[in-house]
Structures are given as C-alpha cells and as structure tokens.
Amino acid sequence: MSTKAPIRVAITGAAGQIGYSLIFRIAAGDVFGPDQPVALNLIEIEPAMGALSGVVMELNDCAFPLVSEIVPTSDMNVGFKDANWCLLVGSVPRKAGMERKDLLGINGKIFVGQGEAIAKNAAKDVRVLVVGNPCNTNAYICKHAAKGVPADRFFAMTRLDENRAKAQLAEKAGVHSSKVTNLAIWGNHSATQYPDFYNAKIDGKPALEVIGDEAWLKDTFIPTVQQRGAAIIKARGLSSAASAANGAIDTVRSLVTPTKPGDWFSVAVCSDGSYNTPKDLMISYPIRTNDGKTWEIVQGVPVNDYSRAKIDASCKELQEEANDVAELLK
C-alpha cells in the first residue's frame, strides 16, 4: 500500500461515454502513476445519478488498489470539495438545428456555475482540464468565473487533435506513431484548428521532408484532422469517447511529467499574447513542462505565412466565441 496522500480528482459527466472510458484508467494508475492513490469525486446531473451508481458498483467490483475513496454526487459543492484536479467532461452536446452560439449560451451557464464552485471548494493547488465542447471557450468561461484561482491552472484539451494528427502522419510515412514528435495544434478545438506539419518531425527529420508532398499535407492531412470527430460520428453513430478520454489522460500526464528535451505537446492555455495571439483567450500552443508542476509556451517556433494565416483564423473564431459569451462574464 502506497504511503502517498491521495490525489483527489473531480470528474463531471462521470456516467457519460467519455467519463466511463476515463474513470477506470485513472483508477488503474494510468494518469498519476502505479503508486499514487486517487480519491474520485464523480459528478453527474440528478437524472443520471442512477447510471452513476452503476459506474460506482463497477469501480468497487474492480477492487483497484489505488482508489482510496469514491464520492458520487450531483452537488457541485460536494463534487469539487478539496479537488486537486477537475476534469470537466460533461457538457450539453450540439443538437440538430442548434447554432454554435446557442450551444455556447447553454454550456456557458453550466461552466459559470462550475467555475464558481471550484473557486469556493477545490484545493489550493487545483488544476482544471476542460474536455466538454466547445472546450476552449468553456474553459475561458470557467476561468473567469473561478475568482481567485490563477489563470495558469486552466486548460482545454487539444491533445486528441494532436494524437489524430500524429496517427495520420505516421500512417502516410509508414512508421509507428511514436516516431512523430513536435506536432503542435494551434488555436481552437474546432474545424479551424491548425495541426502544424511544418514543425513536426518524423524520426527526427522534418515531416515535410519525409512525406515530400506538401499538397497532401495542406489539402488532405489538415482537413482529415479537423473533421475527424465528424467522421467518427458518421461511422460509429456516436461521438469519439475512448479516444477523447485517452486524450484527456495524455494531457494530464504531460502536465505532471517533464517533457522530453526538444519536444512539446498541445493543450489550450490562457494566452499571454505569445505569437501575436489575443491575450486572455484559451488558445492551443506548443507547451512544455519542466518539473511536472509548471508549464510554459514554447517560444521561437517558426511560423511562416501559411501557418500565420491558419493561426489567425482560429484565434478570430475564439474571439468571436468570447464575444458571444461576454454577457455571462459580467
């Protein structure tokens, strides 16, 4: 039995598809390590509490050695109590005929409430990863609502996009995905995101040099990554759940583990204006962690005219989303 104090992890949407794919891997030690106990605060809306009780039964039936406590609740004050990590997975999905602005308004109110509850109840070292879409702007709303919590504690997931991009490059190059490094996702987790192939490397060499087909990279690779979620819904009839959960796991693990020298990973963070991007928005950049506790935006990554236009377009969309939810932040 480990002598370490448990890390308390709060997960919203805990009975949903992504939550179900996520919780058991956290409990098994896939995120914080094989000797780090975890306490799980599992949060759901009241109508889903029955389903959540079934998830708790399964967690108990697994008899995970690392799980010190399970707290199922529909009360956000209980759910975020003493949480060191908050994984905000639950959000209202976009339905047929719903405009993106409508979705922002509905989810915005949810994330205002969650931000306030996190500020009031979570541990002093709390860190927050937003997975529920539109995740960048949901994180932006949550950050503003969580008065007193430093802005650098908030993240929005673009790691799923990075993983998708790496898989596409690896397949094209005929190598294992582990050979693809330095793949940054810039901007918003949306169809405007920019998977930056110019700075990506395959087995240490520039991806463009290895693949040798710039037209394919621009006209096939980028749209494939941007539209991958829609393609999965079309094929499966359901949105990506296991791969989204895996992206969340990879994100947290990268934020608590020093980054390999020379490499980086993707996550949306509060912009400080780096790369001439608008300040305060939650923008995805190449990120590195040095000690597993602090992160930094990797500086000096070359941005050519093509990349500049793509990054600016995605940031413009994020600014429009922020304008759409401005009323919620007053």
Side-chain angles (χ1 to χ4, degrees):
M1 187 70 183
S2 174
T3 56
K4 291 182 178 179
I7 291 173
R8 188 167 293 277
V9 185
I11 302 163
T12 69
Q17 279 204 93
I18 297 172
Y20 188 78
S21 297
L22 178 65
I23 291 165
F24 294 88
R25 291 187 60 190
I26 295 171
D30 285 0
V31 180
F32 299 105
D35 64 344
Q36 174 59 61
V38 290
L40 300 174
N41 289 8
L42 307 181
I43 306 167
E44 259 300 355
I45 57 174
E46 190 58 45
M49 288 303 291
L52 183 59
S53 70
V55 175
V56 173
M57 287 183 215
E58 285 202 78
L59 275 169
N60 286 329
D61 291 350
C62 289
F64 286 114
L66 294 174
V67 175
S68 64
E69 186 182 15
I70 303 168
V71 181
T73 185
S74 60
D75 182 336
M76 286 195 289
N77 292 314
V78 174
F80 293 123
K81 181 72 174 165
D82 299 329
N84 307 107
W85 271 97
C86 299
L87 307 183
L88 307 186
V89 177
S91 65
V92 175
R94 190 169 176 173
K95 297 181 176 71
M98 186 185 283
E99 296 292 328
R100 191 175 177 89
K101 186 173 181 178
D102 299 330
L103 186 65
L104 284 166
I106 294 165
N107 279 316
K109 293 182 182 70
I110 295 168
F111 282 84
V112 166
Q114 290 182 356
E116 291 171 349
I118 287 167
K120 183 179 169 186
N121 298 286
K124 286 199 174 354
D125 66 349
V126 67
R127 290 197 260 183
V128 181
L129 172 64
V130 179
V131 177
N133 285 320
C135 63
N136 295 58
T137 297
N138 286 342
Y140 171 77
I141 293 164
C142 189
K143 167 174 69 75
H144 274 272
K147 307 296 185 197
V149 181
D152 65 0
R153 306 285 186 79
F154 291 85
F155 309 91
M157 186 176 80
T158 55
R159 185 58 167 272
L160 174 56
D161 307 305
E162 178 189 326
N163 289 345
R164 287 167 168 168
K166 284 181 171 178
Q168 293 296 320
L169 291 180
E171 184 178 356
K172 182 70 171 176
V175 300
H176 192 268
S177 58
S178 61
K179 297 291 186 182
V180 183
T181 62
N182 301 89
L183 195 295
I185 301 294
W186 297 85
N188 196 6
H189 172 64
S190 75
T192 69
Q193 62 171 276
Y194 175 49
D196 181 2
F197 62 83
Y198 282 111
N199 290 295
K201 294 178 180 176
I202 299 174
D203 218 0
K205 297 174 185 170
L208 179 57
E209 179 186 309
V210 173
I211 288 172
D213 187 346
E214 193 166 6
W216 178 85
L217 288 162
K218 288 181 176 179
D219 302 333
T220 301
F221 164 71
I222 289 177
T224 298
V225 177
Q226 290 174 333
Q227 301 294 336
R228 187 67 163 186
I232 287 169
I233 290 172
K234 186 177 178 183
R236 187 172 172 255
L238 296 164
S239 60
S240 29
S243 57
N246 184 70
I249 287 164
D250 285 348
T251 303
V252 176
R253 200 160 46 201
S254 290
L255 286 166
V256 300
T257 310
T259 309
K260 288 180 182 176
D263 202 1
W264 54 66
F265 63 96
S266 309
V267 66
V269 298
C270 182
S271 169
D272 61 359
S274 289
Y275 296 96
N276 295 315
T277 53
K279 288 185 178 180
D280 194 41
L281 299 179
M282 295 295 292
I283 299 172
S284 184
Y285 301 97
I287 300 291
R288 138 185 333 125
T289 52
N290 298 314
D291 55 5
K293 292 177 183 173
T294 57
W295 57 264
E296 62 185 7
I297 298 170
V298 179
Q299 301 296 331
V301 176
V303 175
N304 62 18
D305 289 345
Y306 180 85
S307 298
R308 181 78 261 165
K310 292 288 188 185
I311 294 167
D312 287 349
S314 201
C315 288
K316 180 173 181 281
E317 181 184 55
L318 281 168
Q319 187 63 67
E320 289 168 354
E321 290 184 9
N323 295 343
D324 285 342
V325 299
E327 284 296 313
L328 292 170
L329 307 181
K330 289 179 179 176

